[in-house]
Amino acid sequence: MNTQLVRLDAPYNIICGKGGKIGLHIATLIVVKEKFTGVPEGLKMSDTLFVGSYPVVDNPLETKGDVWMDSELKECLVVGHKEEPVSLYELKKFMEYNDKHRGSKFLGAILTRFSFLLDIWKSCFILDTDKNGKKIIDYEVHLKFEDKNDGDSCMVYSTADSRFYFYEYFENEPPFNGVLTNHEAAESMAKLRDYYLMTLSAEGLRSITFSTYDTNYQWFVDRLNRKKEDE
């Protein structure tokens, strides 16, 4: 097995990997090893080798120069650069990636950690602006519902044109194997909305409301939009 360390120049990319990992990509460790000895007939030399590229990262909350051996570089997501702002588009990709690799119940904590690291790296989130260049502080997230298993369960998620990422899967009947009930799913999405509001309040974010065209689940949206004092 041969290894080579390729150091990178600033400005460094901010990347995330499996398990909610976040860090500055400061170098890449290239690992070359043989899959098997010799070159069987019909194969090229390159077919006998495994070449992996692993990010070496700087994270002030962890060991400096940590190598993410469980996340090849091609599996990581670039979400910004040190000392540059992170847009809502990039934030949405970040949340979707972490939901896929970590799970929705961790998203609030991961978002808080991400915000803390951005501050250390002299970066920040930025809100969208309208055609007059004025910051948009109120957002509407449109939700789509997809019934599964003859309506016994359902996926609910924010549409592609929505600026914030939301996703849940719930059972309309008593759940099995830890799947959320519809009320629990609504509560989970409301909590994530609160994390967004708390994290981006310094940038001026004032409200996130929900909407849907699906009349069968209007009650779900109404529950999300219900103010705490109304409950």
Side-chain angles (χ1 to χ4, degrees):
M1 182 176 71
N2 295 315
T3 62
Q4 180 180 3
L5 184 65
V6 179
R7 299 185 184 277
L8 304 177
D9 297 324
Y12 300 117
N13 287 340
I14 300 171
I15 64 173
C16 55
K18 297 176 182 179
K21 294 180 178 179
I22 310 166
L24 288 181
H25 182 201
I26 60 175
T28 298
L29 179 66
I30 300 175
V31 177
V32 181
K33 57 184 177 181
E34 293 182 341
K35 295 179 182 178
F36 40 78
T37 303
V39 183
E41 184 177 354
L43 292 181
K44 297 179 295 184
M45 175 66 74
S46 59
D47 295 327
T48 71
L49 300 176
F50 166 80
V51 181
S53 299
Y54 302 93
V56 181
V57 300
D58 181 14
N59 184 324
L61 302 180
E62 299 172 1
T63 304
K64 186 174 182 179
D66 186 27
V67 182
W68 291 351
M69 294 301 295
D70 61 345
S71 298
E72 279 199 71
L73 187 58
K74 63 184 179 181
E75 299 173 314
C76 297
L77 176 70
V78 177
V79 290
H81 303 86
K82 183 180 180 181
E83 299 182 5
E84 294 183 10
V86 174
S87 68
L88 292 185
Y89 173 75
E90 291 167 322
L91 173 59
K92 186 176 182 179
K93 289 196 302 179
F94 170 83
M95 297 296 280
E96 184 176 10
Y97 177 94
N98 279 284
D99 189 9
K100 177 181 178 181
H101 292 284
R102 185 62 171 166
S104 60
K105 68 179 181 179
F106 298 101
L107 288 182
I110 292 173
L111 175 59
T112 300
R113 188 166 177 263
F114 186 30
S115 177
F116 178 76
L117 289 170
L118 286 183
D119 186 57
I120 293 176
W121 294 327
K122 298 180 180 179
S123 302
C124 65
F125 297 112
I126 55 171
L127 302 180
D128 293 345
T129 56
D130 60 23
K131 60 182 180 180
N132 297 316
K134 185 177 180 181
K135 185 185 295 185
I136 301 173
I137 60 176
D138 298 301
Y139 291 81
E140 180 179 299
V141 172
H142 193 76
L143 298 179
K144 185 174 178 60
F145 295 83
E146 288 189 20
D147 284 329
K148 304 292 182 180
N149 304 317
D150 296 324
D152 289 340
S153 55
C154 181
M155 288 193 307
V156 52
Y157 51 88
S158 52
T159 56
D161 60 344
S162 297
R163 304 306 285 162
F164 293 91
Y165 176 80
F166 289 89
Y167 173 88
E168 282 297 351
Y169 180 85
F170 60 83
E171 298 278 355
N172 282 311
E173 298 297 328
F176 299 95
N177 298 324
V179 178
L180 300 180
T181 66
N182 46 33
H183 291 286
E184 289 171 336
E187 181 180 359
S188 177
M189 292 182 72
K191 286 182 178 179
L192 181 56
R193 185 262 319 276
D194 291 343
Y195 271 107
Y196 281 126
L197 292 172
M198 177 180 64
T199 303
L200 281 82
S201 62
E203 311 309 321
L205 180 62
R206 183 170 63 183
S207 68
I208 298 174
T209 56
F210 298 90
S211 64
T212 187
Y213 295 128
D214 193 332
T215 56
N216 291 329
Y217 287 100
Q218 184 61 49
W219 69 268
F220 190 100
V221 172
D222 292 341
R223 184 179 181 86
L224 287 173
N225 289 332
R226 189 182 306 155
K227 295 180 180 179
K228 291 182 179 180
E229 55 265 29
D230 295 335
E231 296 181 346

